[in-house]
């Protein structure tokens, strides 16, 4: 059964800074920052939340359907998706815009500073959820503001179970709008920083948010993740990675595990563990879409980490 992934397609320009950002920032001068970071390492990757989630879901054997907008420079991305055999049915080209562009600088501590040009994302509302046909679940991830609002509402109107994943798009919405997303959603997924921002903007505690959805998922990096359901509070351990190479796209890999678990009716403990494993696999590889374990390798790593098979 298809999983509808509403979100961005983007090119990621990823730069590696060998020091730490904190060493270049003066606490008493934050009102007039003027810093420059020497970045010996630079790569250009296929990225964007929708692309990253779909890539990882495909690795698991899922059936991702991307709903996104792409620009006049989108031909390489379309060729990439063709090679992956990922449907482009709901990808719309915007000929007078560029594809979204993320410029990500990562320091030696894994901290990131990102600048993002939305480009074609700003027209994401031109896509209609009804055009996707029969889907079992959907996720609304960072995208154009109007598109996120519209896609969440349309999923609710069509009774499609929805994961709301505000991510770096959260600053676009005020407290009332975020509350409305929560009301429309079946599940909410955030990292620990986003969880604090969500509670601050809505005035709702994590417990209150959890009461409004079937499950609230909070990822906490190396500390694993927490899943709050109506009856359970699960602590999901972090899976030891082969190496800590690049955190870009780890959250998207985690969400692919969620989609796979939910579409296959796994319990929350198994869904959370699979999600944690996918993040662990991704962080050991440069870029968000370069790791390529087989499904059999993923299953074996799951068994090794948790003592039972999917």
């Amino acid at each position: 059964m298809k999983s509808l992934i509403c979100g961005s397609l983007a090119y990621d320009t990823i730069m590696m800074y060998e020091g730490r950002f904190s060493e270049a920032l003066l606490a008493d001068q934050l009102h007039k920052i003027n810093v420059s970071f020497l970045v010996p390492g630079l790569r250009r990757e296929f990225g964007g939340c929708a692309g990253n989630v779909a890539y990882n879901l495909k690795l698991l054997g899922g059936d991702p359907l991307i709903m996104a907008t792409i620009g006049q420079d989108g031909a390489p991305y379309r060729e990439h998706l063709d090679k992956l055999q990922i449907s482009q049915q709901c990808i719309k080209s915007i000929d007078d815009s560029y594809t979204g562009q993320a410029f990500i600088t990562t320091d030696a501590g894994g901290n990131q500073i990102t600048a993002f040009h939305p480009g074609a994302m700003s027209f994401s509302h031109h896509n209609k959820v009804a055009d996707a046909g029969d889907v079992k679940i959907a996720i609304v991830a960072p995208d154009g503001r109007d598109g996120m609002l519209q896609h969440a509402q349309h999923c609710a109107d069509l009774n499609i179970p929805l994961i709301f994943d505000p991510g770096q798009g959260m600053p676009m919405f005020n407290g009332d709008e975020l509350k409305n997303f929560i009301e429309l959603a079946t599940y909410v997924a955030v990292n620990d920083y986003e969880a604090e921002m969500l509670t601050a903007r809505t005035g709702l505690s994590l417990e209150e948010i959890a009461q409004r959805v079937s499950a609230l998922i909070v990822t906490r990096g190396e500390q694993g993740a927490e899943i709050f359901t109506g009856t359970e509070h699960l602590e999901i351990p972090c899976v030891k990675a082969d190496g800590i190479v690049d955190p870009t796209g780890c959250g998207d890999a985690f969400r692919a595990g969620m989609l796979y678990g939910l579409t296959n009716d796994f319990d929350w403990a198994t869904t959370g563990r699979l999600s944690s494993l996918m993040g662990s696999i991704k962080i050991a590889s440069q870029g968000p879409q370069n790791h390529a374990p087989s499904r059999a390798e993923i299953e074996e790593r799951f068994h090794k980490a948790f003592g039972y098979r999917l």
Side-chain angles (χ1 to χ4, degrees), residues 14-24 36-43 104-113 245 286:
I14 302 172
M15 296 158 280
M16 305 302 295
Y17 173 55
E18 295 177 346
R20 293 179 180 268
F21 297 139
S22 59
E23 297 168 353
S36 176
F37 302 109
L38 178 66
V39 288
L42 183 149
R43 308 183 319 281
I104 305 165
T105 304
T106 303
D107 76 359
N111 302 298
Q112 292 184 319
I113 295 176
V245 177
Q286 291 278 11

Side-chain angles (χ1 to χ4, degrees), residues 7-12 44-55 66 68-88 91 99-101 252 288-289:
S8 61
L9 292 176
Y11 295 116
D12 290 343
R44 194 171 192 238
E45 305 281 2
F46 297 108
C49 294
N52 296 344
V53 173
Y55 178 86
I66 296 172
T69 42
I70 203 165
Q72 59 186 272
D73 55 344
Y77 213 135
R78 286 190 176 276
E79 293 172 6
H80 173 64
L81 294 174
D82 276 341
K83 291 177 182 177
L84 297 172
Q85 298 183 322
I86 293 176
S87 172
Q88 299 182 42
I91 298 176
T99 300
Q101 312 271 335
D252 297 325
Q289 297 184 35

Side-chain angles (χ1 to χ4, degrees), residues 158-229:
L158 294 168
N159 295 316
I160 300 172
L162 171 66
I163 301 172
F164 175 49
D165 172 26
Q168 294 177 336
M170 195 181 303
M172 295 188 294
F173 305 104
N174 62 35
D176 287 339
E177 288 167 332
L178 290 169
K179 284 182 181 178
N180 187 56
F181 275 120
I182 293 168
E183 294 300 325
L184 296 174
T186 316
Y187 317 100
V188 172
V190 289
N191 65 27
D192 46 5
Y193 179 80
E194 294 157 2
E196 291 186 16
M197 184 181 294
L198 186 60
T199 58
R201 292 204 168 203
T202 61
L204 300 173
S205 67
L206 290 180
E207 291 74 15
E208 289 172 324
I209 294 171
Q211 291 170 3
R212 288 165 165 77
V213 293
S214 295
L216 168 65
I217 301 90
V218 181
T219 60
R220 300 192 180 279
E222 63 184 14
Q223 297 178 2
E226 292 182 277
I227 300 176
F228 303 86
T229 72

Side-chain angles (χ1 to χ4, degrees), residues 21-152:
F21 297 139
S22 59
E23 297 168 353
L25 301 174
L26 300 175
D28 62 343
Q29 298 293 314
L30 296 180
H31 61 290
K32 53 176 182 180
I33 294 174
N34 185 358
V35 295
S36 176
F37 302 109
L38 178 66
V39 288
L42 183 149
R43 308 183 319 281
R44 194 171 192 238
E45 305 281 2
F46 297 108
C49 294
N52 296 344
V53 173
Y55 178 86
N56 285 279
L57 185 56
K58 191 72 173 181
L59 290 177
L60 284 165
D63 189 6
L65 179 60
I66 296 172
M67 178 164 283
T69 42
I70 203 165
Q72 59 186 272
D73 55 344
Y77 213 135
R78 286 190 176 276
E79 293 172 6
H80 173 64
L81 294 174
D82 276 341
K83 291 177 182 177
L84 297 172
Q85 298 183 322
I86 293 176
S87 172
Q88 299 182 42
Q89 170 191 338
C90 294
I91 298 176
K92 186 179 293 292
S93 293
I94 307 298
D95 293 335
D96 57 354
S97 290
Y98 289 106
T99 300
Q101 312 271 335
F103 301 89
I104 305 165
T105 304
T106 303
D107 76 359
N111 302 298
Q112 292 184 319
I113 295 176
T114 301
F116 193 81
H117 169 67
M121 279 175 52
S122 300
F123 300 91
S124 61
H125 56 285
H126 289 192
N127 282 318
K128 309 299 180 187
V129 171
D131 295 338
D134 188 21
V135 297
K136 185 168 183 178
I137 192 170
I139 184 170
V140 169
D143 203 354
R145 171 185 159 82
D146 290 346
M148 291 180 71
L149 290 165
Q150 174 182 283
H151 296 154

